[in-house]
Amino acid sequence: MIIYRQSARVLVQGITGKQGTFWTQKMMECGTRVVAGVNPKRAGEQHLGVPVYATAKAAMAESPFDVAVMFIPPAMAREAALDAIKAGARTVVILTEHIPARDVIAIHHAAARHRTRIIGPNTAGIVTPGEGFVGIMPGHNPNIFQPGEIGVISRSGSLGTLICLNLTRAGFGQSAFLGIGGDPMIGTTTRDALQAVDEDPRTRAVVLVGEIGGAMEEAAAEYAAGMAKPVVSFIAGRASPPGKKMGHAGAIVSGTLGSYDGKRRALEAAGVAVADTPAEIPGLLGAGPRDRLRQPAAHALSV
């Protein structure tokens, strides 16, 4: 599961900590179905009205869940992720950043064996306005997120928040926000997320927020070329100097590999409209190069 649905049952690992408590409250206020939490030191207690267990395995036995979200420090992230994966989580949302590379590899290996979807590491989470959210995105803020028909994909939580704010101000609601994460080794790629919103019947158009470095945007462009739904994009890092580590993943641009120009050319060749600034995105949705996008910018696309 990449797109959050309100029917999904959520386990919060690290629920009793300051951040876990705050964001669990916000998730629940939005309708997220949090059924349990994990903290080995407080197993057997109730926190925020849900039971706390020593492990995800113990939680699954008594309070079955579909999605696990981790408010766990880097040194303990591998153990927590493997616990959730082996317990049978369909999806694990890994908010933690700076997890050692060997631990991330172990997490992805276990997830592949157990057919668990990993979102992250270093993700801000996923949001479905009107249904709920999982993570640390401000899904509870109606000035930023409103139900609608635009799917938004972003590695950056802050940049994704800005894009959604601009969309909402322009009258475009979101069908889903997918924060795929900023780790060098993420479990859900831009292409994976693009396919998910393409297959989502609630989504009419897609905003893809990319970054320099790597080849995820190029792979997504190949998929976008065959899509019926229109896609617009913004690529961060246009002014970044070559040969320097930039962005979440410390991506290095060498020549045209992973460069802004290379990504933009690939996207535009696939029929994707690319904005120069985030502020231009609502306008591209309202008056893009494809006839399907020719709708008033102040109103959400209608079915």
Side-chain angles (χ1 to χ4, degrees):
M1 185 193 77
I2 300 178
I3 297 175
Y4 172 77
R5 293 298 180 218
Q6 196 169 35
S7 59
R9 299 161 297 183
V10 178
L11 172 78
V12 180
Q13 296 174 281
I15 191 172
T16 61
K18 182 178 180 180
Q19 292 299 317
T21 296
F22 176 83
W23 286 106
T24 299
Q25 287 177 319
K26 295 303 180 185
M27 286 188 279
M28 294 172 78
E29 287 173 9
C30 285
T32 304
R33 191 178 172 192
V34 178
V35 297
V38 172
N39 182 338
K41 295 181 180 179
R42 295 182 59 176
E45 297 181 15
Q46 291 270 326
H47 187 70
L48 302 178
V50 300
V52 179
Y53 297 91
T55 64
K57 182 179 180 181
M60 184 65 82
E62 296 187 14
S63 302
F65 60 91
D66 306 295
V67 180
V69 57
M70 293 171 45
F71 291 88
I72 302 293
M76 302 169 64
R78 173 178 174 171
E79 180 182 358
L82 295 183
D83 181 28
I85 291 167
K86 293 177 181 179
R90 292 170 52 202
T91 303
V92 180
V93 179
I94 304 180
L95 307 174
T96 314
E97 60 179 325
H98 304 309
I99 302 173
R102 65 182 180 276
D103 291 350
V104 176
I105 292 171
I107 291 168
H108 289 318
H109 180 65
R113 285 192 289 113
H114 290 268
R115 298 184 178 181
T116 301
R117 166 67 62 181
I118 299 294
I119 299 178
N122 191 17
T123 176
I126 53 179
V127 185
T128 302
E131 294 194 48
F133 73 100
V134 179
I136 56 173
M137 286 294 291
H140 58 288
N141 190 329
N143 294 317
I144 299 172
F145 287 102
Q146 285 287 334
E149 299 173 312
I150 310 299
V152 181
I153 300 164
S154 179
R155 296 195 76 172
S156 166
S158 56
L159 189 53
T161 298
L162 174 61
I163 297 293
C164 290
L165 175 65
N166 289 342
L167 288 172
T168 296
R169 285 177 171 175
F172 292 101
Q174 305 87 29
S175 56
F177 171 85
L178 304 178
I180 61 174
D183 194 86
M185 296 178 285
I186 55 177
T188 299
T189 66
T190 304
R191 187 196 182 284
D192 294 335
L194 186 59
Q195 183 174 348
V197 292
D198 184 31
E199 295 172 353
D200 174 34
R202 306 182 191 185
T203 299
R204 279 289 306 277
V206 182
V207 175
L208 192 159
V209 185
E211 295 182 358
I212 60 170
M216 286 205 301
E217 289 76 17
E218 289 85 343
E222 292 180 7
Y223 182 87
M227 288 176 59
K229 296 176 182 180
V231 182
V232 302
S233 180
F234 171 74
I235 305 297
R238 182 177 188 179
S240 301
K244 299 292 184 180
K245 290 184 178 181
M246 305 295 296
H248 294 88
I252 297 178
V253 178
S254 178
T256 59
L257 180 62
S259 69
Y260 175 88
D261 289 340
K263 290 180 184 297
R264 181 162 189 156
R265 283 196 298 270
L267 288 165
E268 290 181 335
V272 176
V274 181
D276 291 325
T277 67
E280 294 179 3
I281 287 177
L284 290 176
L285 287 170
R290 300 183 183 185
D291 290 341
R292 288 184 296 275
L293 287 177
R294 297 188 186 280
Q295 302 288 337
H299 300 284
L301 295 172
S302 59
V303 177

